[in-house]
Amino acid sequence: MTTRQVLVSLFAGVWIGAMIVAGWNPIAATSLTMDWLVEVFRTPFNTKFIILIMFMGAGAAFIHRSGGILALEQWIGDRVDSARESQILTWLIGVFIFFSSYTSTIVTGNATRDLAQENRSSREMHAYALDSTTSPVATFGPVSSWIGYQVSMIIAGFEAATVTASELGVTPFGLFLQSIPWNIYCFMAFFMVGFIAITQRFFGPMLDAEWRARSTGRTIREDATPLSDVSQDVGEPSDKNPTLVNFFGPILVLLVVSLVSMWWLGGGHNPGVSISKAFQETDVALGLLYGSFAFMLSGFIGALSYRTMDLETASDTIIQGFKTMNIAIAIIVLAWSIGLAAEKVGTAQIIVDAMVGSGVPGSFLPVIIFLAAMFVAFTTGTSWGTMAILTPLAIPLGYELVGPSVLPVLVGVLFGGAIYGDHSSPISDTTVMSSIFSGSDHIDHVNTQIPFAGTAAVVTVLILVLYGLGLQTAYIALPLALVLTVVAVLALNKFDARRKGLPEVMPSVDAIESGEVDVDAIERGEVDGNNGSHDHFTLVPVLAVIIVVAYLALVFAFAAIGG
């Protein structure tokens, strides 16, 4: 909280843990810290994970630089002609880039930024659509660098609880799958982006930002300072023969190779081994490693085959893609190390003893863990760091206080609370990246997104309170959360629009320019609203709903594998 620097802070946490173990000898503590860094790096699961995210970075670099992103822009450019459709499109493309939040922000932001601004969608709304789509989609997968990391955190939790998968009756990957339906915050955050974009019902500072953009054409506040675009990390997209194959091809290869590899590694090809058992018993890191290598290789081959790059440029793109993951790797290694440090000093047991002795009802543990994850993530700005700090505490605590049955709930709400920080903290890396790739003023992005993230978080807290009172079925809790979210958005929109004298349903640019909506009268406070009207059965919203429903069906089918 003091430094606002996640790398410095994580290293300090590891070093302090080493100081305790080393009897407060700073030289011995520094040596022990180095030993711990090497230890986590050499763990087979962790080593595979580090290599796979480097391959992910290279594959994403090919999608961007080979012209795949340019082909996508050209393909959709003539089909999207309103602010509403550009917002829906941003949400939709984010669904396709499910394998990495960083990659999704870069690719989706670049693909839709100019289109959004041409159609007078505020940069604040574009940043929100990017930020609240990328992390939720990546955390669900079904194939992503996030899954590998989250499974590694669950493994750390098993070690802290000194229990094995056989004792719990579920593998770390199986527990992750079971936790997906309980990641209520992420589902609601993701749903809100689409619901708000389709209905055009805004509230809070976003309502003002959208009205400014529609009525004046200023997509950014006059005295705002937009963050610069860092696409130079991997170079500009090639305009030599851009093709959609170089966009969709590598993504499809990643998905197919990863899933088939995980099925095969889990023994799915052997007689009598069900799909569910194969995925629970698989080596998820190795399966994702195979998939990410195929992802990179298909991007490389596509770039050369369509002659969008020469061999030298393609080789450079691999290295540049690796470089985009440097910060992520540093955070990951330190996050693993602080988990190891907490294990060495017995942090989990201290917390467990305190909570068990306090008489806290076990059924209310999920809401406590969720609030703790929100706080840590907001103040530190890192969802992965939050997972590293809390997972080795939450799993032993839940196991001792309640038993194995509560672990999927704790893991789901912990991961959701950690991602809340990505949607609200001004020092979060994904929040900053969303501001960069939307061209938004960073503080404006934070201020406009917090009310939306807060709405999803409050709904989650209400559901978890109900869980504590006895509502302990995810497939009842999730629909109820959906209804509460819709009611909250509609109520907040109606209240704020009436308070400000602005339209409840944001009108289109065409309606404003044609005079259907009297902007001057609204500005003078003489007209109560003049709501816009939108056709909900045009190509973009209908296509978006179909694809999102199909994606969510895939996610829940994936979760069902965990039993």
Side-chain angles (χ1 to χ4, degrees):
M1 292 170 63
T2 303
T3 66
R4 299 293 192 270
Q5 297 295 321
V6 63
L7 294 178
V8 173
S9 303
L10 283 172
F11 182 84
V14 177
W15 188 76
I16 290 296
M19 282 278 282
I20 296 171
V21 173
W24 302 101
N25 182 326
I27 296 176
T30 303
S31 175
L32 185 57
T33 299
M34 298 302 108
D35 290 341
W36 287 350
L37 291 172
V38 172
E39 182 178 342
V40 298
F41 201 96
R42 291 176 61 185
T43 302
F45 184 100
N46 296 353
T47 304
K48 294 170 195 172
F49 182 73
I50 289 171
I51 297 172
L52 81 86
I53 67 168
M54 292 174 67
F55 288 160
M56 288 274 194
F62 277 116
I63 286 180
H64 174 77
R65 198 173 181 189
S66 68
I69 192 71
L70 193 59
L72 184 67
E73 289 177 6
Q74 294 171 354
W75 181 58
I76 63 179
D78 296 334
R79 294 171 171 81
V80 175
D81 57 6
S82 70
R84 173 174 174 260
E85 290 188 344
S86 68
Q87 293 164 5
I88 297 171
L89 183 69
T90 302
W91 182 57
L92 180 59
I93 294 177
V95 171
F96 284 103
I97 317 297
F98 49 76
F99 46 86
S100 167
S101 61
Y102 283 7
T103 300
S104 183
T105 304
I106 294 169
V107 172
T108 307
N110 279 330
T112 57
R113 181 180 59 243
D114 293 341
L115 196 62
Q117 294 181 26
E118 287 170 9
N119 290 310
R120 294 194 193 177
S121 174
S122 68
R123 298 193 192 183
E124 293 94 328
M125 181 60 191
H126 190 220
Y128 162 65
L130 285 177
D131 208 354
S132 286
T133 301
T134 54
S135 297
V137 168
T139 198
F140 299 142
V143 175
S144 74
S145 56
W146 280 66
I147 291 178
Y149 178 75
Q150 289 169 149
V151 171
S152 77
M153 291 297 99
I154 295 172
I155 292 172
F158 279 22
E159 292 171 350
T162 63
V163 293
T164 63
S166 60
E167 290 174 319
L168 290 175
V170 64
T171 64
F173 185 51
L175 181 57
F176 165 75
L177 294 175
Q178 293 175 10
S179 77
I180 288 175
W182 286 106
N183 196 336
I184 297 170
Y185 171 79
C186 284
F187 280 114
M188 294 308 104
F190 173 70
F191 166 74
M192 278 183 63
V193 176
F195 183 72
I196 289 171
I198 291 171
T199 62
Q200 292 291 284
R201 290 181 174 273
F202 305 94
F203 59 89
M206 191 70 80
L207 176 63
D208 303 287
E210 280 294 290
W211 176 248
R212 180 202 67 227
R214 305 294 172 85
S215 61
T216 68
R218 295 195 306 270
T219 59
I220 191 168
R221 189 168 44 83
E222 282 187 354
D223 55 347
T225 305
L227 295 184
S228 60
D229 189 336
V230 297
S231 60
Q232 63 265 26
D233 286 349
V234 294
E236 293 298 322
S238 171
D239 58 2
K240 299 176 183 177
N241 193 27
T243 171
L244 286 173
V245 172
N246 282 340
F247 181 83
F248 290 108
I251 296 173
L252 182 61
V253 168
L254 170 67
L255 181 62
V256 171
V257 173
S258 295
L259 292 178
V260 170
S261 296
M262 286 191 286
W263 170 78
W264 181 276
L265 291 167
H269 59 290
N270 294 323
V273 178
S274 66
I275 294 176
S276 174
K277 183 172 179 59
F279 274 91
Q280 288 193 49
E281 299 293 334
T282 193
D283 184 339
V284 62
L286 187 58
L288 291 176
L289 177 61
Y290 291 157
S292 62
F293 176 74
F295 179 48
M296 177 186 70
L297 183 62
S298 60
F300 181 84
I301 293 172
L304 296 180
S305 299
Y306 286 94
R307 298 181 180 179
T308 61
M309 298 182 190
D310 57 29
L311 183 59
E312 181 181 359
T313 304
S315 299
D316 289 343
T317 300
I318 294 175
I319 303 302
Q320 290 160 350
F322 288 169
K323 289 178 180 177
T324 63
M325 294 297 177
N326 284 345
I327 298 299
I329 290 172
I331 292 174
I332 290 163
V333 172
L334 288 171
W336 286 331
S337 300
I338 202 169
L340 179 60
E343 177 189 339
K344 297 293 186 183
V345 302
T347 306
Q349 194 57 49
I350 293 170
I351 299 295
V352 167
D353 291 345
M355 290 293 288
V356 171
S358 69
V360 174
S363 60
F364 285 96
L365 187 57
V367 71
I368 294 171
I369 293 296
F370 179 70
L371 292 171
M374 286 176 60
F375 174 75
V376 174
F378 182 83
T379 54
T380 62
T382 168
S383 55
W384 283 18
T386 300
M387 294 173 192
I389 293 167
L390 291 182
T391 310
L393 304 179
I395 289 179
L397 184 57
Y399 182 68
E400 292 289 337
L401 200 60
V402 181
S405 63
V406 80
L407 297 186
V409 186
L410 292 182
V411 170
V413 301
L414 193 161
F415 290 168
I419 291 172
Y420 168 82
D422 279 347
H423 296 163
S424 56
S425 175
I427 58 173
S428 164
D429 50 0
T430 55
T431 305
V432 172
M433 287 183 68
S434 296
S435 298
I436 290 171
F437 287 98
S438 64
S440 173
D441 180 283
H442 183 53
I443 299 304
D444 286 349
H445 166 44
V446 172
N447 288 341
T448 51
Q449 179 160 260
I450 280 179
F452 293 166
T455 300
V458 168
V459 167
T460 303
V461 169
L462 290 175
I463 294 298
L464 294 179
V465 169
L466 292 176
Y467 175 91
L469 296 173
L471 178 63
Q472 300 187 355
T473 303
Y475 293 102
I476 295 176
L478 264 177
L480 179 58
L482 197 70
V483 171
L484 291 175
T485 300
V486 169
V487 170
V489 170
L490 294 178
L492 290 168
N493 161 255
K494 186 176 290 290
F495 170 78
D496 205 34
R498 289 185 176 181
R499 181 174 67 89
K500 295 173 179 176
L502 294 176
E504 290 178 20
V505 178
M506 191 61 60
S508 66
V509 174
D510 288 343
I512 291 174
E513 291 183 341
S514 67
E516 291 179 32
V517 175
D518 191 338
V519 173
D520 292 335
I522 291 175
E523 295 286 355
R524 291 194 300 269
E526 298 174 359
V527 177
D528 238 0
N530 272 37
N531 287 334
S533 62
H534 302 276
D535 186 352
H536 294 302
F537 296 99
T538 55
L539 176 63
V540 174
V542 169
L543 184 63
V545 170
I546 292 172
I547 290 176
V548 167
V549 169
Y551 166 73
L552 291 176
L554 176 64
V555 167
F556 283 109
F558 188 53
I561 294 172

